[in-house]
mmCIF file of all heavy atoms in Angstrom:
data_model
loop_
_atom_site.group_PDB
_atom_site.id
_atom_site.type_symbol
_atom_site.label_atom_id
_atom_site.label_comp_id
_atom_site.label_asym_id
_atom_site.label_seq_id
_atom_site.Cartn_x
_atom_site.Cartn_y
_atom_site.Cartn_z
ATOM 1 N N ASP A 35 -2.658 13.391 1.074
ATOM 2 C CA ASP A 35 -3.298 13.270 -0.235
ATOM 3 C C ASP A 35 -4.259 12.075 -0.278
ATOM 4 O O ASP A 35 -5.378 12.186 -0.782
ATOM 5 C CB ASP A 35 -2.224 13.140 -1.308
ATOM 6 C CG ASP A 35 -2.729 13.452 -2.700
ATOM 7 O OD1 ASP A 35 -3.636 14.300 -2.827
ATOM 8 O OD2 ASP A 35 -2.210 12.859 -3.657
ATOM 9 N N LEU A 36 -3.828 10.946 0.266
ATOM 10 C CA LEU A 36 -4.660 9.737 0.226
ATOM 11 C C LEU A 36 -5.724 9.704 1.325
ATOM 12 O O LEU A 36 -6.676 8.938 1.247
ATOM 13 C CB LEU A 36 -3.783 8.486 0.309
ATOM 14 C CG LEU A 36 -2.841 8.256 -0.870
ATOM 15 C CD1 LEU A 36 -2.006 6.996 -0.654
ATOM 16 C CD2 LEU A 36 -3.606 8.172 -2.179
ATOM 17 N N LYS A 37 -5.523 10.513 2.358
ATOM 18 C CA LYS A 37 -6.506 10.646 3.452
ATOM 19 C C LYS A 37 -6.750 9.347 4.224
ATOM 20 O O LYS A 37 -7.876 9.053 4.631
ATOM 21 C CB LYS A 37 -7.832 11.212 2.927
ATOM 22 C CG LYS A 37 -7.734 12.596 2.313
ATOM 23 C CD LYS A 37 -9.056 13.029 1.724
ATOM 24 C CE LYS A 37 -9.067 14.413 1.174
ATOM 25 N NZ LYS A 37 -8.052 14.788 0.246
ATOM 26 N N CYS A 38 -5.686 8.575 4.425
ATOM 27 C CA CYS A 38 -5.803 7.360 5.232
ATOM 28 C C CYS A 38 -4.406 6.906 5.637
ATOM 29 O O CYS A 38 -3.411 7.384 5.108
ATOM 30 C CB CYS A 38 -6.534 6.254 4.466
ATOM 31 S SG CYS A 38 -5.700 5.704 2.980
ATOM 32 N N GLY A 39 -4.362 5.976 6.572
ATOM 33 C CA GLY A 39 -3.100 5.380 6.984
ATOM 34 C C GLY A 39 -2.413 6.115 8.107
ATOM 35 O O GLY A 39 -2.936 7.080 8.667
ATOM 36 N N SER A 40 -1.229 5.626 8.441
ATOM 37 C CA SER A 40 -0.446 6.225 9.514
ATOM 38 C C SER A 40 1.040 6.127 9.185
ATOM 39 O O SER A 40 1.468 5.274 8.411
ATOM 40 C CB SER A 40 -0.730 5.536 10.844
ATOM 41 O OG SER A 40 -0.399 4.167 10.770
ATOM 42 N N ILE A 41 1.792 7.031 9.806
ATOM 43 C CA ILE A 41 3.238 7.099 9.592
ATOM 44 C C ILE A 41 3.927 6.836 10.912
ATOM 45 O O ILE A 41 3.502 7.342 11.951
ATOM 46 C CB ILE A 41 3.654 8.483 9.043
ATOM 47 C CG1 ILE A 41 3.062 8.682 7.647
ATOM 48 C CG2 ILE A 41 5.175 8.623 9.021
ATOM 49 C CD1 ILE A 41 3.312 10.049 7.048
ATOM 50 N N ARG A 42 4.987 6.047 10.855
ATOM 51 C CA ARG A 42 5.796 5.852 12.053
ATOM 52 C C ARG A 42 7.256 5.759 11.669
ATOM 53 O O ARG A 42 7.606 5.280 10.590
ATOM 54 C CB ARG A 42 5.347 4.640 12.850
ATOM 55 C CG ARG A 42 5.723 3.324 12.280
ATOM 56 C CD ARG A 42 5.296 2.183 13.186
ATOM 57 N NE ARG A 42 5.645 0.937 12.523
ATOM 58 C CZ ARG A 42 6.106 -0.118 13.132
ATOM 59 N NH1 ARG A 42 6.246 -0.129 14.430
ATOM 60 N NH2 ARG A 42 6.414 -1.209 12.458
ATOM 61 N N GLU A 43 8.071 6.260 12.584
ATOM 62 C CA GLU A 43 9.516 6.186 12.386
ATOM 63 C C GLU A 43 10.014 4.891 13.007
ATOM 64 O O GLU A 43 9.671 4.557 14.132
ATOM 65 C CB GLU A 43 10.197 7.378 13.046
ATOM 66 C CG GLU A 43 9.912 8.679 12.341
ATOM 67 C CD GLU A 43 10.731 9.839 12.877
ATOM 68 O OE1 GLU A 43 11.917 9.623 13.226
ATOM 69 O OE2 GLU A 43 10.184 10.939 12.954
ATOM 70 N N LYS A 44 10.808 4.170 12.249
ATOM 71 C CA LYS A 44 11.401 2.938 12.749
ATOM 72 C C LYS A 44 12.804 3.254 13.254
ATOM 73 O O LYS A 44 13.346 4.308 12.981
ATOM 74 C CB LYS A 44 11.420 1.895 11.636
ATOM 75 C CG LYS A 44 10.015 1.555 11.140
ATOM 76 C CD LYS A 44 10.042 0.578 10.010
ATOM 77 C CE LYS A 44 10.268 -0.784 10.589
ATOM 78 N NZ LYS A 44 10.112 -1.878 9.659
ATOM 79 N N SER A 45 13.391 2.341 13.964
ATOM 80 C CA SER A 45 14.687 2.599 14.590
ATOM 81 C C SER A 45 15.858 2.584 13.604
ATOM 82 O O SER A 45 16.928 3.058 13.936
ATOM 83 C CB SER A 45 14.932 1.566 15.690
ATOM 84 O OG SER A 45 14.919 0.270 15.132
ATOM 85 N N ASP A 46 15.667 2.086 12.420
ATOM 86 C CA ASP A 46 16.777 1.950 11.477
ATOM 87 C C ASP A 46 16.803 3.053 10.416
ATOM 88 O O ASP A 46 17.128 2.801 9.267
ATOM 89 C CB ASP A 46 16.740 0.574 10.829
ATOM 90 C CG ASP A 46 15.391 0.258 10.181
ATOM 91 O OD1 ASP A 46 14.463 1.076 10.306
ATOM 92 O OD2 ASP A 46 15.270 -0.808 9.555
ATOM 93 N N HIS A 47 16.464 4.270 10.803
ATOM 94 C CA HIS A 47 16.481 5.440 9.915
ATOM 95 C C HIS A 47 15.481 5.332 8.768
ATOM 96 O O HIS A 47 15.647 5.949 7.728
ATOM 97 C CB HIS A 47 17.883 5.716 9.366
ATOM 98 C CG HIS A 47 18.907 5.888 10.426
ATOM 99 N ND1 HIS A 47 18.955 7.001 11.228
ATOM 100 C CD2 HIS A 47 19.907 5.071 10.843
ATOM 101 C CE1 HIS A 47 19.944 6.867 12.078
ATOM 102 N NE2 HIS A 47 20.534 5.716 11.874
ATOM 103 N N VAL A 48 14.455 4.535 8.982
ATOM 104 C CA VAL A 48 13.419 4.342 7.972
ATOM 105 C C VAL A 48 12.091 4.834 8.525
ATOM 106 O O VAL A 48 11.782 4.665 9.700
ATOM 107 C CB VAL A 48 13.303 2.848 7.579
ATOM 108 C CG1 VAL A 48 12.115 2.598 6.667
ATOM 109 C CG2 VAL A 48 14.585 2.385 6.914
ATOM 110 N N VAL A 49 11.321 5.456 7.651
ATOM 111 C CA VAL A 49 9.966 5.888 7.992
ATOM 112 C C VAL A 49 9.026 5.042 7.147
ATOM 113 O O VAL A 49 9.284 4.800 5.968
ATOM 114 C CB VAL A 49 9.756 7.388 7.674
ATOM 115 C CG1 VAL A 49 8.335 7.818 7.969
ATOM 116 C CG2 VAL A 49 10.736 8.230 8.453
ATOM 117 N N GLU A 50 7.944 4.573 7.780
ATOM 118 C CA GLU A 50 6.979 3.794 7.019
ATOM 119 C C GLU A 50 5.608 4.458 7.063
ATOM 120 O O GLU A 50 5.198 4.995 8.090
ATOM 121 C CB GLU A 50 6.899 2.354 7.511
ATOM 122 C CG GLU A 50 6.321 2.162 8.889
ATOM 123 C CD GLU A 50 6.206 0.696 9.293
ATOM 124 O OE1 GLU A 50 6.448 -0.208 8.473
ATOM 125 O OE2 GLU A 50 5.867 0.455 10.452
ATOM 126 N N TYR A 51 4.960 4.439 5.938
ATOM 127 C CA TYR A 51 3.582 4.896 5.801
ATOM 128 C C TYR A 51 2.766 3.651 5.491
ATOM 129 O O TYR A 51 2.983 2.994 4.472
ATOM 130 C CB TYR A 51 3.472 5.933 4.680
ATOM 131 C CG TYR A 51 2.052 6.261 4.259
ATOM 132 C CD1 TYR A 51 1.035 6.445 5.194
ATOM 133 C CD2 TYR A 51 1.729 6.388 2.922
ATOM 134 C CE1 TYR A 51 -0.261 6.744 4.799
ATOM 135 C CE2 TYR A 51 0.442 6.698 2.516
ATOM 136 C CZ TYR A 51 -0.550 6.868 3.462
ATOM 137 O OH TYR A 51 -1.831 7.161 3.070
ATOM 138 N N VAL A 52 1.871 3.289 6.416
ATOM 139 C CA VAL A 52 1.112 2.049 6.265
ATOM 140 C C VAL A 52 -0.379 2.341 6.204
ATOM 141 O O VAL A 52 -0.926 3.084 7.027
ATOM 142 C CB VAL A 52 1.402 1.080 7.440
ATOM 143 C CG1 VAL A 52 0.594 -0.201 7.297
ATOM 144 C CG2 VAL A 52 2.885 0.752 7.510
ATOM 145 N N ILE A 53 -1.015 1.739 5.211
ATOM 146 C CA ILE A 53 -2.462 1.795 5.055
ATOM 147 C C ILE A 53 -2.980 0.409 5.419
ATOM 148 O O ILE A 53 -2.562 -0.593 4.826
ATOM 149 C CB ILE A 53 -2.839 2.148 3.597
ATOM 150 C CG1 ILE A 53 -2.269 3.516 3.235
ATOM 151 C CG2 ILE A 53 -4.345 2.090 3.404
ATOM 152 C CD1 ILE A 53 -2.283 3.807 1.746
ATOM 153 N N THR A 54 -3.841 0.354 6.423
ATOM 154 C CA THR A 54 -4.359 -0.914 6.904
ATOM 155 C C THR A 54 -5.880 -0.872 6.897
ATOM 156 O O THR A 54 -6.472 0.169 7.128
ATOM 157 C CB THR A 54 -3.848 -1.194 8.339
ATOM 158 O OG1 THR A 54 -2.420 -1.201 8.312
ATOM 159 C CG2 THR A 54 -4.331 -2.522 8.867
ATOM 160 N N GLY A 55 -6.475 -2.017 6.663
ATOM 161 C CA GLY A 55 -7.930 -2.123 6.696
ATOM 162 C C GLY A 55 -8.486 -2.469 5.329
ATOM 163 O O GLY A 55 -7.949 -2.057 4.295
ATOM 164 N N ALA A 56 -9.545 -3.237 5.338
ATOM 165 C CA ALA A 56 -10.115 -3.770 4.099
ATOM 166 C C ALA A 56 -10.476 -2.687 3.088
ATOM 167 O O ALA A 56 -10.062 -2.763 1.926
ATOM 168 C CB ALA A 56 -11.338 -4.627 4.424
ATOM 169 N N ASP A 57 -11.235 -1.698 3.497
ATOM 170 C CA ASP A 57 -11.720 -0.707 2.529
ATOM 171 C C ASP A 57 -10.614 0.145 1.914
ATOM 172 O O ASP A 57 -10.539 0.255 0.689
ATOM 173 C CB ASP A 57 -12.811 0.166 3.146
ATOM 174 C CG ASP A 57 -14.101 -0.613 3.389
ATOM 175 O OD1 ASP A 57 -14.295 -1.669 2.738
ATOM 176 O OD2 ASP A 57 -14.912 -0.173 4.219
ATOM 177 N N PRO A 58 -9.735 0.771 2.715
ATOM 178 C CA PRO A 58 -8.693 1.584 2.084
ATOM 179 C C PRO A 58 -7.711 0.758 1.249
ATOM 180 O O PRO A 58 -7.273 1.199 0.182
ATOM 181 C CB PRO A 58 -7.992 2.284 3.247
ATOM 182 C CG PRO A 58 -8.503 1.700 4.486
ATOM 183 C CD PRO A 58 -9.729 0.913 4.176
ATOM 184 N N VAL A 59 -7.372 -0.441 1.717
ATOM 185 C CA VAL A 59 -6.442 -1.284 0.959
ATOM 186 C C VAL A 59 -7.089 -1.696 -0.360
ATOM 187 O O VAL A 59 -6.470 -1.607 -1.423
ATOM 188 C CB VAL A 59 -6.008 -2.510 1.792
ATOM 189 C CG1 VAL A 59 -5.315 -3.551 0.918
ATOM 190 C CG2 VAL A 59 -5.099 -2.069 2.935
ATOM 191 N N LYS A 60 -8.326 -2.127 -0.304
ATOM 192 C CA LYS A 60 -9.030 -2.536 -1.527
ATOM 193 C C LYS A 60 -9.129 -1.370 -2.509
ATOM 194 O O LYS A 60 -8.857 -1.521 -3.704
ATOM 195 C CB LYS A 60 -10.422 -3.059 -1.187
ATOM 196 C CG LYS A 60 -11.207 -3.517 -2.391
ATOM 197 C CD LYS A 60 -12.575 -4.050 -1.991
ATOM 198 C CE LYS A 60 -13.365 -4.484 -3.207
ATOM 199 N NZ LYS A 60 -14.686 -5.018 -2.839
ATOM 200 N N ASN A 61 -9.504 -0.207 -1.996
ATOM 201 C CA ASN A 61 -9.655 0.971 -2.848
ATOM 202 C C ASN A 61 -8.350 1.289 -3.580
ATOM 203 O O ASN A 61 -8.334 1.488 -4.792
ATOM 204 C CB ASN A 61 -10.120 2.159 -1.999
ATOM 205 C CG ASN A 61 -10.447 3.376 -2.827
ATOM 206 O OD1 ASN A 61 -9.712 3.771 -3.730
ATOM 207 N ND2 ASN A 61 -11.566 4.002 -2.516
ATOM 208 N N LEU A 62 -7.243 1.329 -2.833
ATOM 209 C CA LEU A 62 -5.965 1.671 -3.458
ATOM 210 C C LEU A 62 -5.524 0.584 -4.437
ATOM 211 O O LEU A 62 -5.107 0.885 -5.551
ATOM 212 C CB LEU A 62 -4.889 1.913 -2.402
ATOM 213 C CG LEU A 62 -3.522 2.337 -2.933
ATOM 214 C CD1 LEU A 62 -3.624 3.584 -3.805
ATOM 215 C CD2 LEU A 62 -2.547 2.560 -1.786
ATOM 216 N N LEU A 63 -5.641 -0.684 -4.037
ATOM 217 C CA LEU A 63 -5.203 -1.758 -4.923
ATOM 218 C C LEU A 63 -6.004 -1.790 -6.218
ATOM 219 O O LEU A 63 -5.441 -2.020 -7.295
ATOM 220 C CB LEU A 63 -5.275 -3.114 -4.224
ATOM 221 C CG LEU A 63 -4.234 -3.356 -3.138
ATOM 222 C CD1 LEU A 63 -4.432 -4.731 -2.515
ATOM 223 C CD2 LEU A 63 -2.825 -3.189 -3.658
ATOM 224 N N LEU A 64 -7.305 -1.572 -6.129
ATOM 225 C CA LEU A 64 -8.113 -1.566 -7.349
ATOM 226 C C LEU A 64 -7.695 -0.441 -8.295
ATOM 227 O O LEU A 64 -7.768 -0.595 -9.511
ATOM 228 C CB LEU A 64 -9.599 -1.452 -7.013
ATOM 229 C CG LEU A 64 -10.240 -2.717 -6.424
ATOM 230 C CD1 LEU A 64 -11.671 -2.439 -5.991
ATOM 231 C CD2 LEU A 64 -10.181 -3.879 -7.412
ATOM 232 N N GLN A 65 -7.229 0.658 -7.716
ATOM 233 C CA GLN A 65 -6.808 1.788 -8.547
ATOM 234 C C GLN A 65 -5.437 1.587 -9.187
ATOM 235 O O GLN A 65 -5.192 2.074 -10.295
ATOM 236 C CB GLN A 65 -6.801 3.083 -7.733
ATOM 237 C CG GLN A 65 -8.195 3.559 -7.355
ATOM 238 C CD GLN A 65 -8.160 4.965 -6.812
ATOM 239 O OE1 GLN A 65 -7.882 5.907 -7.550
ATOM 240 N NE2 GLN A 65 -8.431 5.109 -5.527
ATOM 241 N N ILE A 66 -4.533 0.866 -8.509
ATOM 242 C CA ILE A 66 -3.157 0.784 -9.024
ATOM 243 C C ILE A 66 -2.742 -0.593 -9.539
ATOM 244 O O ILE A 66 -1.693 -0.713 -10.160
ATOM 245 C CB ILE A 66 -2.128 1.255 -7.972
ATOM 246 C CG1 ILE A 66 -2.068 0.300 -6.786
ATOM 247 C CG2 ILE A 66 -2.412 2.686 -7.542
ATOM 248 C CD1 ILE A 66 -0.931 0.573 -5.820
ATOM 249 N N LYS A 67 -3.538 -1.624 -9.335
ATOM 250 C CA LYS A 67 -3.080 -2.985 -9.647
ATOM 251 C C LYS A 67 -2.689 -3.182 -11.109
ATOM 252 O O LYS A 67 -1.763 -3.929 -11.406
ATOM 253 C CB LYS A 67 -4.093 -4.038 -9.206
ATOM 254 C CG LYS A 67 -5.327 -4.131 -10.041
ATOM 255 C CD LYS A 67 -6.228 -5.242 -9.515
ATOM 256 C CE LYS A 67 -7.488 -5.280 -10.331
ATOM 257 N NZ LYS A 67 -7.570 -6.418 -11.210
ATOM 258 N N ASP A 68 -3.366 -2.508 -12.021
ATOM 259 C CA ASP A 68 -3.022 -2.671 -13.440
ATOM 260 C C ASP A 68 -1.676 -2.050 -13.788
ATOM 261 O O ASP A 68 -1.119 -2.334 -14.855
ATOM 262 C CB ASP A 68 -4.117 -2.075 -14.327
ATOM 263 C CG ASP A 68 -5.412 -2.862 -14.239
ATOM 264 O OD1 ASP A 68 -5.369 -4.058 -13.869
ATOM 265 O OD2 ASP A 68 -6.479 -2.285 -14.521
ATOM 266 N N TYR A 69 -1.145 -1.215 -12.905
ATOM 267 C CA TYR A 69 0.141 -0.560 -13.130
ATOM 268 C C TYR A 69 1.287 -1.266 -12.400
ATOM 269 O O TYR A 69 2.440 -0.942 -12.619
ATOM 270 C CB TYR A 69 0.084 0.902 -12.684
ATOM 271 C CG TYR A 69 -0.947 1.707 -13.434
ATOM 272 C CD1 TYR A 69 -2.253 1.808 -12.964
ATOM 273 C CD2 TYR A 69 -0.623 2.362 -14.620
ATOM 274 C CE1 TYR A 69 -3.212 2.541 -13.657
ATOM 275 C CE2 TYR A 69 -1.571 3.094 -15.321
ATOM 276 C CZ TYR A 69 -2.856 3.175 -14.831
ATOM 277 O OH TYR A 69 -3.795 3.894 -15.526
ATOM 278 N N LEU A 70 0.954 -2.192 -11.516
ATOM 279 C CA LEU A 70 1.979 -2.915 -10.771
ATOM 280 C C LEU A 70 2.677 -3.921 -11.681
ATOM 281 O O LEU A 70 2.072 -4.477 -12.595
ATOM 282 C CB LEU A 70 1.367 -3.660 -9.578
ATOM 283 C CG LEU A 70 0.859 -2.802 -8.433
ATOM 284 C CD1 LEU A 70 0.018 -3.632 -7.470
ATOM 285 C CD2 LEU A 70 2.023 -2.146 -7.695
ATOM 286 N N VAL A 71 3.950 -4.165 -11.382
ATOM 287 C CA VAL A 71 4.712 -5.181 -12.101
ATOM 288 C C VAL A 71 5.181 -6.239 -11.103
ATOM 289 O O VAL A 71 4.764 -7.387 -11.164
ATOM 290 C CB VAL A 71 5.919 -4.559 -12.850
ATOM 291 C CG1 VAL A 71 6.755 -5.641 -13.520
ATOM 292 C CG2 VAL A 71 5.432 -3.535 -13.868
ATOM 293 N N LEU A 72 6.021 -5.841 -10.169
ATOM 294 C CA LEU A 72 6.593 -6.786 -9.209
ATOM 295 C C LEU A 72 5.587 -7.302 -8.182
ATOM 296 O O LEU A 72 5.688 -8.436 -7.739
ATOM 297 C CB LEU A 72 7.772 -6.144 -8.466
ATOM 298 C CG LEU A 72 8.961 -5.745 -9.319
ATOM 299 C CD1 LEU A 72 9.980 -4.982 -8.484
ATOM 300 C CD2 LEU A 72 9.592 -6.977 -9.936
ATOM 301 N N LYS A 73 4.649 -6.481 -7.795
ATOM 302 C CA LYS A 73 3.742 -6.850 -6.704
ATOM 303 C C LYS A 73 2.302 -7.097 -7.165
ATOM 304 O O LYS A 73 1.377 -7.099 -6.372
ATOM 305 C CB LYS A 73 3.809 -5.789 -5.611
ATOM 306 C CG LYS A 73 5.210 -5.754 -4.995
ATOM 307 C CD LYS A 73 5.312 -4.912 -3.779
ATOM 308 C CE LYS A 73 6.644 -5.106 -3.109
ATOM 309 N NZ LYS A 73 7.749 -4.387 -3.712
ATOM 310 N N LYS A 74 2.144 -7.353 -8.440
ATOM 311 C CA LYS A 74 0.799 -7.607 -8.977
ATOM 312 C C LYS A 74 0.192 -8.873 -8.365
ATOM 313 O O LYS A 74 -0.992 -8.911 -8.045
ATOM 314 C CB LYS A 74 0.841 -7.737 -10.496
ATOM 315 C CG LYS A 74 -0.542 -7.820 -11.127
ATOM 316 C CD LYS A 74 -0.503 -7.937 -12.631
ATOM 317 C CE LYS A 74 -0.086 -6.671 -13.293
ATOM 318 N NZ LYS A 74 -1.135 -5.704 -13.528
ATOM 319 N N ARG A 75 1.000 -9.928 -8.188
ATOM 320 C CA ARG A 75 0.471 -11.172 -7.606
ATOM 321 C C ARG A 75 0.008 -10.963 -6.170
ATOM 322 O O ARG A 75 -1.047 -11.460 -5.774
ATOM 323 C CB ARG A 75 1.512 -12.286 -7.701
ATOM 324 C CG ARG A 75 1.686 -12.755 -9.152
ATOM 325 C CD ARG A 75 2.836 -13.699 -9.390
ATOM 326 N NE ARG A 75 2.931 -14.810 -8.482
ATOM 327 C CZ ARG A 75 4.040 -15.516 -8.299
ATOM 328 N NH1 ARG A 75 5.133 -15.228 -8.965
ATOM 329 N NH2 ARG A 75 4.074 -16.521 -7.459
ATOM 330 N N GLN A 76 0.789 -10.206 -5.388
ATOM 331 C CA GLN A 76 0.372 -9.912 -4.020
ATOM 332 C C GLN A 76 -0.932 -9.121 -4.021
ATOM 333 O O GLN A 76 -1.836 -9.397 -3.227
ATOM 334 C CB GLN A 76 1.445 -9.115 -3.258
ATOM 335 C CG GLN A 76 2.682 -9.890 -2.907
ATOM 336 C CD GLN A 76 3.790 -9.717 -3.915
ATOM 337 O OE1 GLN A 76 3.567 -9.677 -5.122
ATOM 338 N NE2 GLN A 76 5.019 -9.644 -3.425
ATOM 339 N N ALA A 77 -1.029 -8.137 -4.905
ATOM 340 C CA ALA A 77 -2.241 -7.314 -4.977
ATOM 341 C C ALA A 77 -3.460 -8.180 -5.299
ATOM 342 O O ALA A 77 -4.498 -8.065 -4.641
ATOM 343 C CB ALA A 77 -2.077 -6.219 -6.034
ATOM 344 N N ASN A 78 -3.324 -9.051 -6.278
ATOM 345 C CA ASN A 78 -4.446 -9.912 -6.648
ATOM 346 C C ASN A 78 -4.827 -10.873 -5.525
ATOM 347 O O ASN A 78 -6.009 -11.121 -5.286
ATOM 348 C CB ASN A 78 -4.150 -10.663 -7.943
ATOM 349 C CG ASN A 78 -4.203 -9.741 -9.153
ATOM 350 O OD1 ASN A 78 -4.974 -8.787 -9.198
ATOM 351 N ND2 ASN A 78 -3.369 -10.016 -10.139
ATOM 352 N N LEU A 79 -3.830 -11.409 -4.825
ATOM 353 C CA LEU A 79 -4.121 -12.299 -3.695
ATOM 354 C C LEU A 79 -4.822 -11.562 -2.558
ATOM 355 O O LEU A 79 -5.771 -12.077 -1.969
ATOM 356 C CB LEU A 79 -2.833 -12.950 -3.177
ATOM 357 C CG LEU A 79 -2.328 -14.159 -3.955
ATOM 358 C CD1 LEU A 79 -0.913 -14.527 -3.501
ATOM 359 C CD2 LEU A 79 -3.265 -15.341 -3.778
ATOM 360 N N VAL A 80 -4.364 -10.354 -2.245
ATOM 361 C CA VAL A 80 -5.007 -9.583 -1.176
ATOM 362 C C VAL A 80 -6.441 -9.233 -1.567
ATOM 363 O O VAL A 80 -7.356 -9.317 -0.739
ATOM 364 C CB VAL A 80 -4.181 -8.330 -0.799
ATOM 365 C CG1 VAL A 80 -4.983 -7.363 0.047
ATOM 366 C CG2 VAL A 80 -2.914 -8.752 -0.055
#
């Protein structure tokens, strides 16, 4: 759906979906930052 990022399985029964890179991270953060509560400070710093 988001058309970016990668998925990898970790050894502890966890799967992670990571979006890396300036443009995709900026795009997503600008779209969701006003809805964040716990991670709003991290979003603004990034």
Side-chain angles (χ1 to χ4, degrees):
D35 199 32
L36 295 179
K37 299 175 176 52
C38 63
S40 60
I41 294 175
R42 75 177 177 142
E43 290 188 37
K44 299 178 78 171
S45 60
D46 54 356
H47 304 288
V48 173
V49 177
E50 68 177 353
Y51 168 43
V52 179
I53 299 166
T54 302
D57 291 339
V59 167
K60 181 179 179 179
N61 186 314
L62 183 56
L63 289 179
L64 287 174
Q65 291 192 68
I66 67 171
K67 73 178 178 108
D68 292 337
Y69 299 90
L70 290 168
V71 176
L72 297 174
K73 296 189 171 79
K74 187 180 288 275
R75 289 171 49 199
Q76 289 95 320
N78 287 327
L79 279 169
V80 166

